[in-house]
Amino acid sequence: MDRFNNYEEYLSYTANAPDNHFYDKTTKTNTKEAFEAYLKAYPRGLHVKEVQKKIDEFIAIEKDNDAYDKAQYTNTKQAFEAYLKAYPKGLHVKKVQKKIDEFIAIEKDNDAYNKAQYTNTKQAFEAYLKAYPKGLHVKKAQKKIDEFIAIEKDNDAYNKAQYANTKEAFEAYLKAHPRGLHVKEAQKKIDEFRAIEKDNDAYDKAQYANTKEAFEAYLKAHPRGLHVKEAQKKIDEFRAIEKDNDAYDKAQYTNTKEAFEAYLKSHPRGLHVKEAQKKIDEFIKSDHTFYDKAIKTNTKQVFEAYLKAHPKGLHVKEAQKKIDEFDTKKAYEAYLKEHKKRS
């Protein structure tokens, strides 16, 4: 009796005892199926409204859960936003909002990384890491930073090699950076230095041999070498020497004053100037000696011998004149002799 306000309520309850008993049992079970079973048993029962309300609540919960399950299955920001829009006071609002916040954080993270990728500088990836130290792209960003650092080190090493500009410096770069950014350029520089070394060695060898043939061999092997001008100059000098020697040999072979004078005229600073001048002086002395002897001997034969020995001598005219005088004298004597016979 304590649960009833009056006797009439008690009588009403006892009159509807089966309905009330079923309802009490249903509320204790508290499932949609239990409430649906009540409605089926008492479609016009005392608790139809309350039971229908409970069933509607369970249906709403099911729909809410289904919507959340669907959002979870789709697992996109848009799906969770659609859930919130449909169920702004739903059972999973907090969890959904958390998921949306996570997606927004992911979007921001991705946007920041995409921006860093677009800028593609060490500073950009460092800025990403600073803003997102636990971001989705930390490893990739760190890898990119490491790559940029490696590039910087590579460039610094190559710049150092360029500044030193020696074969050894470029070889050191290649040893430290066998797959570096400047391998081709460094190898090219090393090849250039080796070519220079070979060129210099070949020229040193030619200088050591110091022959026309040695310098010609250098030019043949290094037609665009570093010492082409010097080598050509040396060859020209050797050729000039050869020409000089040939000219002097020719003068010696001819062995006349005129031949040696011709040598001096064509080679006024030649290698054999002194010898040629000496030979000329000897010819002049011989000429004078021979002529003096002819004067002292004073015979036609000796003057003829002079002309034969010195056909272009200094006293050709005098000698010829003397011969002519002897011929004239002889003719005159013959005339006198003939005239005397006639007389």
Side-chain angles (χ1 to χ4, degrees), residues 259-288:
F260 288 106
E261 286 174 335
Y263 167 81
L264 282 184
K265 186 175 182 180
S266 59
H267 300 276
R269 295 182 182 179
L271 299 170
H272 308 284
V273 167
K274 289 183 178 180
E275 300 101 293
Q277 189 60 57
K278 183 179 178 182
K279 290 294 289 183
I280 291 168
D281 294 341
E282 287 174 359
F283 275 110
I284 291 171
K285 184 178 180 181
S286 174
D287 187 298
H288 286 312

Side-chain angles (χ1 to χ4, degrees), residues 99-296:
K99 288 294 290 183
I100 291 169
D101 292 343
E102 288 173 0
F103 277 109
I104 290 170
I106 289 169
E107 287 176 353
K108 287 182 178 179
D109 189 304
N110 287 333
D111 288 343
Y113 186 70
N114 290 336
K115 183 179 178 181
Q117 281 186 306
Y118 181 78
T119 306
N120 198 32
T121 64
K122 186 181 77 167
Q123 293 73 17
F125 288 105
E126 287 174 335
Y128 168 81
L129 279 187
K130 187 175 181 180
Y132 298 90
K134 296 182 180 180
L136 299 169
H137 309 283
V138 167
K139 288 185 178 180
K140 291 184 286 184
Q142 188 59 56
K143 184 180 177 183
K144 289 294 289 182
I145 291 167
D146 292 341
E147 288 173 2
F148 278 109
I149 290 171
I151 289 169
E152 288 175 354
K153 287 182 178 179
D154 190 298
N155 286 332
D156 288 344
Y158 187 68
N159 290 336
K160 183 179 178 181
Q162 281 186 308
Y163 182 77
N165 198 32
T166 64
K167 186 183 75 168
E168 293 71 22
F170 288 105
E171 286 174 335
Y173 167 80
L174 277 188
K175 187 175 181 180
H177 303 272
R179 296 183 182 179
L181 298 170
H182 308 283
V183 167
K184 288 184 179 179
E185 301 97 299
Q187 190 59 58
K188 184 180 178 183
K189 289 294 290 182
I190 290 168
D191 292 342
E192 288 173 1
F193 278 110
R194 285 175 180 165
I196 290 169
E197 287 175 353
K198 286 182 179 179
D199 190 298
N200 287 333
D201 288 344
Y203 188 67
D204 289 342
K205 184 178 177 181
Q207 282 186 307
Y208 182 78
N210 198 31
T211 64
K212 185 183 77 169
E213 292 72 22
F215 288 106
E216 286 174 336
Y218 167 81
L219 278 187
K220 187 175 181 180
H222 302 273
R224 295 183 181 178
L226 299 170
H227 307 283
V228 167
K229 288 184 179 179
E230 302 100 292
Q232 189 59 57
K233 184 180 178 182
K234 289 295 290 183
I235 290 167
D236 292 341
E237 288 173 0
F238 277 110
R239 286 175 180 167
I241 289 168
E242 287 175 353
K243 287 182 179 179
D244 189 298
N245 287 332
D246 288 343
Y248 187 68
D249 289 344
K250 184 178 178 181
Q252 281 185 306
Y253 181 78
T254 306
N255 198 30
T256 64
K257 186 182 73 145
E258 291 72 24
F260 288 106
E261 286 174 335
Y263 167 81
L264 282 184
K265 186 175 182 180
S266 59
H267 300 276
R269 295 182 182 179
L271 299 170
H272 308 284
V273 167
K274 289 183 178 180
E275 300 101 293
Q277 189 60 57
K278 183 179 178 182
K279 290 294 289 183
I280 291 168
D281 294 341
E282 287 174 359
F283 275 110
I284 291 171
K285 184 178 180 181
S286 174
D287 187 298
H288 286 312
T289 302
F290 205 132
Y291 188 71
D292 289 343
K293 183 180 177 181
I295 291 293
K296 289 178 181 178

